[in-house]
């Protein structure tokens, strides 16, 4: 049984997709040990509590220094002894100590086809005057392992989503979530929990059983 912990910052629709997939067996061999948010008002915490999952807020604002916040975050995560950490809309820089400790055991969902539209401070979809930069026609989402770079770790799954001419950023973001994020994040967890992928030379390979 793969024990996972989920880190969140906001609404938690990706968390909900994971919870639903565990409950309806789309994800197998997996239990959710905790949900941690940096934001006390994150609706994701409510979603977790409704399903009797330990839900905690660890806010940087409660600590005098970033180091103290990082230590509290790491200590709390370590107390659960999980096999995999899932960043499901976690908008905080993950401490490098945690990344080193959990090498190829942290995954992230990102709302674009990496390496397009990634980078520091990027949240949602890069929109300039109502359209994706230079009128991009295809976007999507990516699930990848987290390394010490920004969105640079080995890619597990990607799914493309069409950009329509009259899309607003809100309409497009919703389509990316519905058609891509809520599907590939649970699918990636299921692949990991069933030993179906391995990281070889910094690339994800499918393992045939
Ligand atoms: C999602 O769109 C996710 O891809 C994005 O935050 C949103 C969280 O929504 N993550 C990033 O931008 C990370 N760089 P949710 O709280 O409803 O799951």
């Amino acid at each position: 049984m793969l024990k996972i912990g989920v880190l969140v910052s906001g609404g938690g629709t990706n968390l909900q997709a994971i919870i639903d997939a565990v409950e309806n067996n789309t994800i197998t061999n997996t239990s959710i040990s905790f949900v941690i948010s940096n934001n006390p008002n994150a609706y994701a915490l409510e979603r977790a509590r409704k399903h009797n999952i330990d839900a905690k807020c660890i806010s940087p604002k409660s600590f005098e220094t970033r180091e103290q916040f990082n230590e509290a975050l790491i200590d709390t995560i370590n107390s659960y002894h999980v096999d995999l950490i899932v960043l499901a809309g976690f908008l905080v820089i993950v401490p490098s100590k945690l990344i080193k400790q959990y090498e190829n055991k942290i995954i992230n969902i990102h709302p674009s086809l990496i390496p397009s539209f990634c980078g520091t401070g990027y949240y949602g979809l890069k929109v300039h005057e109502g359209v994706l930069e230079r009128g991009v026609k295809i976007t999507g989402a990516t699930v990848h392992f987290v390394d010490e770079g920004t969105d640079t770790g080995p890619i597990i799954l990607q799914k493309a989503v069409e950009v329509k001419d009259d899309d607003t950023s809100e309409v497009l973001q919703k389509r990316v979530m519905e058609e891509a994020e809520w599907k590939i994040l649970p699918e990636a967890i299921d692949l990991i929990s069933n030993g179906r992928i391995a990281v070889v030379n910094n690339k994800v390979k499918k393992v045939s059983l």
Side-chain angles (χ1 to χ4, degrees), residues 8-16 44 47 87-91 108-112 119 122-124 141 151 173 176-177 181-182:
V8 295
S9 297
T13 62
N14 280 286
L15 168 68
Q16 191 68 54
R47 293 182 191 270
L87 310 184
F90 187 57
L91 304 177
N108 179 48
I109 178 81
H110 185 81
S112 80
Y122 171 57
Y123 172 68
D151 303 326
Q173 185 163 16
V176 169
M177 287 179 137
E181 295 188 33
W182 301 341

Side-chain angles (χ1 to χ4, degrees), residues 36 58 63 67-77:
I36 294 174
I58 303 177
F63 299 89
E67 286 68 33
Q68 287 170 353
F69 163 72
N70 286 346
E71 283 306 315
L73 181 67
I74 294 169
D75 287 351
T76 307
I77 291 171

